[in-house]
Amino acid sequence: MRQEQVAESHSDTPARPETLPSAQPPTTPEPLRVGAPAVSAGGVPAVVSAMKHAWGEMGPVRGTQALLKVNQKHGFDCPGCAWPDPKHRTPFEFCENGAKAVAEEATTARVTPDFFRNWSLVDLAAQTDHWLGKQGRLTHPMVLREGTSHYAPISWDEAFTIIARELNALGSPDEACFYTSGRTSNEAAFLYQLFVRQFGTNNLPDCSNMCHESSGTALMETIGIGKGSVTLEDFEKAQVIIVIGQNPGTNHPRMLTALEAAKRQGCRIVSINPLPEPGLQRFKHPQAMRGILGSGTPLADLFLQVRINGDVALLQGLGKALLAREAKQPGTVVARDFVEGMTLGYEAYAAHLDTVSWEDVVEQSGVPREQIETAAEWLAGTDRIIWCWAMGLTQHRNAVGNIQEIVNLTLLRGSIGKPGAGVCPVRGHSNVQGDRTMGIWERPRPAFLDALSRELAFEPPRHHGLDTVATIQAMHEGRVKVFFAMGGNFLSATPDTERTAEALRRTRLTVHVSTKLNRAHLVTGKRALILPCLGRTESDVQSGGPQFVTVENSMGMVHASRGTLEPASEHLLSEPALVARLARAVLGSRSSVRWEWLVEDYDRVRDLISRVIPGFEDFNRRVREPGGFALPNGPREGRFTTQSGKGHFTVHEMSRLKLEPGQLLMMTIRTHDQYNTTVYGLDDRYRGIRNGRRVVMLNAEDMKALGVEAGQVVDLTSHFEGEQRVARRFVVVPYDIPRRCAATYFPEANVLVPLDSIAEKSRTPTSKSVIISLSPAVDLPALAASVP
């Protein structure tokens, strides 16, 4: 039987009172303005936008002082993306979106207990995500007691008592889940996983489960480490850089500086993406005269406009073209010595490509053969090749295969373990990679658990815990009764919004450690707590004096971060201190860890880390060196750390998604005024879309075939295994996107992503592969947009 899941109801749950807060932002489209997309990124508009946000949120003096400390050796790490810092830094080591992230955290606006007295949960839920974020920093611990409609202030001691009572009353530690976002420092993450494992569970879902889990899974199987193999210096030596499934102009703007430098040294850049992105067309460096007054630097030499999830076909086409060149001139394309001495599986890979037809490659990828041949010619001409990717590859059912096809091409050319070459998954959040290194993982390796046991004299749980998708399912089924989130906006970040909301409502207690208000605070268990913490930008003073924390960037470099601003409230706790007090309240005499002593001086936490996690030996000395230190990385150093000691070629069938008449394949993306689920503003400047987020971007020919017009308001229905989910009132925008493809913004379209549609092996939600159809909007309002 077909099921329908919409914002107003859910097919397999009882009807809810109308007074419950909405899980989704308002569905009335804003008065949208659409113009031509930009043809370049950066330049004066980026500077103006950065200063507008910084000065508007913090004031000119405080804003300037804060920005001058971002990514500096004695300042704080940007709370945005994890792109690494150059060895030689300028006084302005931030990008437009980094400035927005700092402004969002260091705003002078405050959310006090008086605010919550004036606003009920239902009233707050009627506001947009942008409005919620702009109310300011949380100042006090708050509690939502059972049966009430407003949060009220609570003391820290009482808050920890409530959590301890709920956790200790559970029938099993596995009835609780402990989520983590990528903003958490190494010190906080290590203490957090230690507390959770001493409590008795490995239920440690995190944001990696939803973004780069596919990268880690694919790379662990093939090269032996779940991280990239390049450093920032490798970009200076590369001769070809391929940027695939990624939009660095919005998501990692500082990456454009590295690409510009590479380009100016003769490197060729290939962009592979369903949407043309201005950041990869032309970059106007906002700190260089040529970027302010000149036309900037053209970046991509070749744009391959692949269909959504046509990447395996395209990558196999590249491999097929390379092997054809090898057959004509043996020994000139395949790195024979490397392949024969350092890898396994080449023969099976080559045999499989021999069965792949060019007709299928072109049809499934949407890219003409001649363009693929051009890219293959460039790859054949050098082994100094870097592959960069992000969530455009990781959020499909065949996501692991996408990335392993990149590894195949890398091994084929011997492009790893040498200067200017390797693989580079570009992780989005500032310490998402460090959290995993510190043990935030539901499937910990035995060696890590053995080290914890040896050093701290307790036996950690050995069975695997729940990832993000499994956590939602377990809450929905009543198997998880307490949900604790260390940062993040769980409700809006996860798929299947209505099902996730219903799952959260079925818990006994939800707890969020946060700096600012977000929608996850409004959809709760029977009771809820908001615990406000220090931000990355703020000074952290414990009884042992001023402290600093550490983070790991996207390329495995560990460095210090020192907040400098006055805390937003005297009632805030640092994340390490919060975890220590939580652990003492919950575990009591069951734990022999000296929690309070550890957080008096974070050097003590780092000493403990150095004895548990390989690569962190002499942690406190090394992290105080300029720029920090690099963690061990076998593939970077020329040795594979797989069980066989070899790099592994793999074989994958080409993805063949069949669409019914009238159906499209939709992907969710960010706007330029957004970071993860934090909405800085309502403009997507580079795509020419302003003052609105509820849009669906379509190919003009598809619009004709579907009978819809620019500016029309439609409802979107997703289709998955007989189920339907509906998202209301999206404005149609014509865009340069391949036929039968569509793009929408998250979190607005997350309601369409089925919870049970996940990537093979990595279990990442398939947010980039959602089958949808369109229909005229129910209760169609007056024309909501002026779209040419």
Side-chain angles (χ1 to χ4, degrees):
M1 180 178 294
R2 299 179 69 85
Q3 301 176 4
E4 183 175 7
Q5 300 170 0
V6 298
E8 293 85 283
S9 64
H10 193 287
S11 60
D12 58 358
T13 60
R16 300 190 298 271
E18 293 182 358
T19 54
L20 281 175
S22 171
Q24 298 183 68
T27 58
T28 302
E30 299 87 352
L32 199 68
R33 301 193 307 275
V34 177
V39 295
S40 65
V44 173
V47 176
V48 171
S49 177
M51 293 304 101
K52 176 183 175 182
H53 282 267
W55 293 353
E57 294 280 2
M58 299 181 283
V61 175
R62 175 182 167 91
T64 302
Q65 290 174 340
L67 292 181
L68 291 175
K69 290 292 186 180
V70 182
N71 296 323
Q72 299 300 322
K73 294 178 180 178
H74 296 286
F76 54 85
D77 191 67
C78 179
C81 80
W83 189 253
D85 303 315
K87 286 184 177 179
H88 304 291
R89 309 184 199 193
T90 72
F92 308 101
E93 283 298 335
F94 59 88
C95 64
E96 176 189 350
N97 277 1
K100 292 175 183 176
V102 171
E104 192 79 6
E105 180 177 292
T107 178
T108 57
R110 299 290 181 263
V111 175
T112 66
D114 285 341
F115 173 90
F116 285 107
R117 275 191 283 270
N118 294 328
W119 287 87
S120 71
L121 264 64
V122 171
D123 291 338
L124 288 171
Q127 307 303 314
T128 66
D129 291 348
H130 177 236
W131 185 93
L132 292 174
K134 291 302 179 185
Q135 300 316 296
R137 287 289 299 277
L138 297 159
T139 62
H140 292 70
M142 305 298 294
V143 63
L144 181 71
R145 303 189 188 277
E146 187 171 359
T148 63
S149 59
H150 291 67
Y151 276 100
I154 187 174
S155 70
W156 280 105
D157 285 344
E158 186 181 358
F160 289 128
T161 297
I162 289 174
I163 300 169
R165 286 175 178 169
E166 286 286 1
L167 289 177
N168 288 326
L170 296 174
S172 162
D174 290 332
E175 292 180 354
C177 275
F178 300 88
Y179 177 76
T180 318
S181 84
R183 193 205 56 179
T184 307
S185 68
N186 287 330
E187 291 75 14
F190 183 84
L191 293 176
Y192 188 56
Q193 64 81 30
L194 175 59
F195 154 66
V196 171
R197 292 192 164 104
Q198 287 210 331
F199 178 65
T201 184
N202 282 317
N203 287 348
L204 281 160
D206 73 332
C207 58
S208 285
N209 297 151
M210 294 181 287
C211 54
H212 270 288
E213 197 70 60
S214 299
S215 298
T217 301
L219 296 175
M220 277 297 301
E221 290 182 352
T222 54
I223 65 173
I225 189 170
K227 305 178 183 182
S229 67
V230 301
T231 66
L232 191 56
E233 289 70 34
D234 285 314
F235 280 74
E236 301 170 2
K237 301 165 185 161
Q239 291 185 344
V240 176
I241 297 173
I242 301 97
V243 182
I244 178 170
Q246 184 191 0
N247 174 18
T250 287
N251 299 332
H252 316 88
R254 285 204 300 158
M255 181 179 176
L256 298 181
T257 303
L259 294 178
E260 181 190 46
K263 179 71 181 209
R264 288 180 170 271
Q265 295 184 38
C267 179
R268 283 174 165 149
I269 297 175
V270 180
S271 170
I272 304 175
N273 208 44
L275 298 179
E277 300 293 1
L280 288 170
Q281 293 173 312
R282 184 177 292 272
F283 175 51
K284 296 182 178 182
H285 197 316
Q287 296 178 30
M289 191 61 65
R290 62 180 179 272
I292 298 297
L293 300 179
S295 60
T297 304
L299 291 184
D301 298 275
L302 180 63
F303 172 45
L304 305 182
Q305 191 169 24
V306 67
R307 288 185 180 135
I308 294 174
N309 203 23
D311 304 284
V312 165
L314 173 59
L315 295 167
Q316 289 186 351
L318 288 171
K320 188 174 181 68
L322 287 171
L323 291 184
R325 289 174 176 273
E326 172 70 11
K328 291 180 180 179
Q329 294 181 294
T332 63
V333 176
V334 176
R336 289 290 177 183
D337 291 344
F338 178 87
V339 168
E340 293 171 5
M342 297 288 291
T343 74
L344 296 173
Y346 167 74
E347 291 79 7
Y349 168 68
H352 174 69
L353 289 189
D354 194 48
T355 69
V356 172
S357 73
W358 273 110
E359 290 76 13
D360 281 347
V361 167
V362 172
E363 178 186 0
Q364 296 299 317
S365 70
V367 179
R369 177 174 176 175
E370 55 268 24
Q371 291 188 355
I372 299 174
E373 294 277 11
T374 296
E377 179 184 355
W378 296 352
L379 296 179
T382 181
D383 59 0
R384 285 157 55 186
I385 304 165
I386 294 177
W387 289 85
C388 305
W389 70 89
M391 289 187 288
L393 291 191
T394 65
Q395 294 182 322
H396 302 279
R397 181 169 178 79
N398 52 292
V400 171
N402 283 340
I403 295 148
Q404 290 185 340
E405 288 291 355
I406 287 177
V407 175
N408 286 339
L409 294 170
T410 301
L411 298 178
L412 185 72
R413 295 294 296 123
S415 298
I416 192 168
K418 60 184 61 174
V423 293
C424 180
V426 185
R427 299 177 188 269
H429 219 323
S430 59
N431 198 41
V432 63
Q433 188 159 293
D435 283 355
R436 183 57 57 88
T437 303
M438 290 296 108
I440 300 292
W441 196 22
E442 75 280 357
R443 294 178 286 137
R445 293 188 179 86
F448 175 78
L449 298 179
D450 290 344
L452 279 180
S453 176
R454 182 174 59 252
E455 182 62 34
L456 293 155
F458 82 104
E459 182 52 38
R462 298 280 171 165
H463 59 281
H464 288 175
L466 301 176
D467 60 21
T468 296
V469 167
T471 292
I472 298 169
Q473 293 167 333
M475 289 190 295
H476 202 273
E477 296 165 5
R479 293 184 287 113
V480 164
K481 300 176 175 63
V482 174
F483 175 79
F484 191 107
M486 180 66 72
N489 180 358
F490 187 81
L491 173 68
S492 295
T494 50
D496 219 337
T497 308
E498 289 300 323
R499 189 171 176 186
T500 298
E502 199 60 47
L504 288 164
R505 290 185 178 115
R506 294 183 179 190
T507 62
R508 297 205 308 235
L509 176 67
T510 49
V511 185
H512 293 274
V513 178
S514 304
T515 58
K516 300 191 74 178
L517 187 65
N518 64 54
R519 196 161 297 275
H521 302 140
L522 312 181
V523 177
T524 71
K526 291 182 179 178
R527 289 194 290 177
L529 289 163
I530 302 174
L531 306 182
C533 65
L534 291 175
R536 186 78 59 78
T537 59
E538 292 169 315
S539 61
D540 180 354
V541 180
Q542 303 298 324
S543 60
Q547 305 297 316
F548 69 88
V549 295
T550 63
V551 296
E552 178 185 348
N553 68 32
S554 200
M555 295 180 185
M557 294 292 298
V558 178
H559 59 278
S561 176
R562 297 172 175 84
T564 60
L565 300 179
E566 186 74 18
S569 166
E570 63 181 348
H571 302 286
L572 306 183
L573 293 180
S574 73
E575 288 180 320
L578 190 153
V579 173
R581 290 185 61 175
L582 172 67
R584 178 57 62 211
V586 173
L587 301 176
S589 61
R590 287 179 286 163
S591 174
S592 60
V593 174
R594 300 169 65 188
W595 296 99
E596 296 85 355
W597 177 80
L598 282 173
V599 296
E600 287 176 359
D601 184 342
Y602 296 171
D603 276 0
R604 297 166 181 170
V605 183
R606 288 185 282 271
D607 282 339
L608 181 55
I609 292 171
S610 71
R611 298 194 296 272
V612 172
I613 302 179
F616 285 85
E617 296 80 9
D618 202 11
F619 190 178
N620 276 307
R621 180 190 62 79
R622 293 163 69 205
V623 81
R624 285 174 164 85
E625 294 177 354
F629 62 93
L631 291 175
N633 188 306
R636 177 186 296 165
E637 298 153 12
R639 54 186 175 81
F640 294 111
T641 47
T642 56
Q643 188 172 2
S644 66
K646 306 275 189 176
H648 289 234
F649 285 88
T650 50
V651 173
H652 303 279
E653 294 301 319
M654 193 180 296
S655 176
R656 297 175 182 272
L657 184 65
K658 294 184 178 180
L659 299 173
E660 300 295 330
Q663 291 183 342
L664 306 166
L665 190 62
M666 182 197 82
M667 62 178 181
T668 62
I669 59 176
R670 295 174 182 170
T671 75
H672 191 63
D673 251 359
Q674 172 183 0
Y675 188 74
N676 292 342
T677 60
T678 301
V679 178
Y680 303 134
L682 300 179
D683 293 344
D684 196 351
R685 187 175 77 243
Y686 290 157
R687 297 191 181 103
I689 299 172
R690 297 177 182 271
N691 199 48
R693 297 182 51 82
R694 298 190 74 83
V695 303
V696 54
M697 289 170 251
L698 303 177
N699 181 287
E701 293 300 315
D702 285 330
M703 290 170 56
K704 291 179 183 178
L706 296 170
V708 297
E709 298 178 351
Q712 184 173 341
V713 182
V714 297
D715 292 339
L716 308 180
T717 300
S718 71
H719 306 267
F720 177 74
E721 296 184 351
E723 298 177 350
Q724 294 183 356
R725 292 160 177 81
V726 179
R728 303 292 188 194
R729 302 182 180 92
F730 282 69
V731 178
V732 173
V733 174
Y735 207 81
D736 184 4
I737 187 171
R739 290 293 308 270
R740 306 203 73 180
C741 295
T744 55
Y745 298 134
F746 71 83
E748 288 79 3
N750 282 0
V751 66
L752 298 170
V753 184
L755 183 66
D756 299 324
S757 180
I758 55 178
E760 296 168 345
K761 296 184 180 181
S762 70
R763 293 178 50 83
T764 298
T766 60
S767 300
K768 298 289 190 291
S769 285
V770 182
I771 299 174
I772 66 165
S773 59
L774 281 63
S775 59
V778 175
D779 299 324
L780 184 66
L783 188 65
S786 175
V787 183

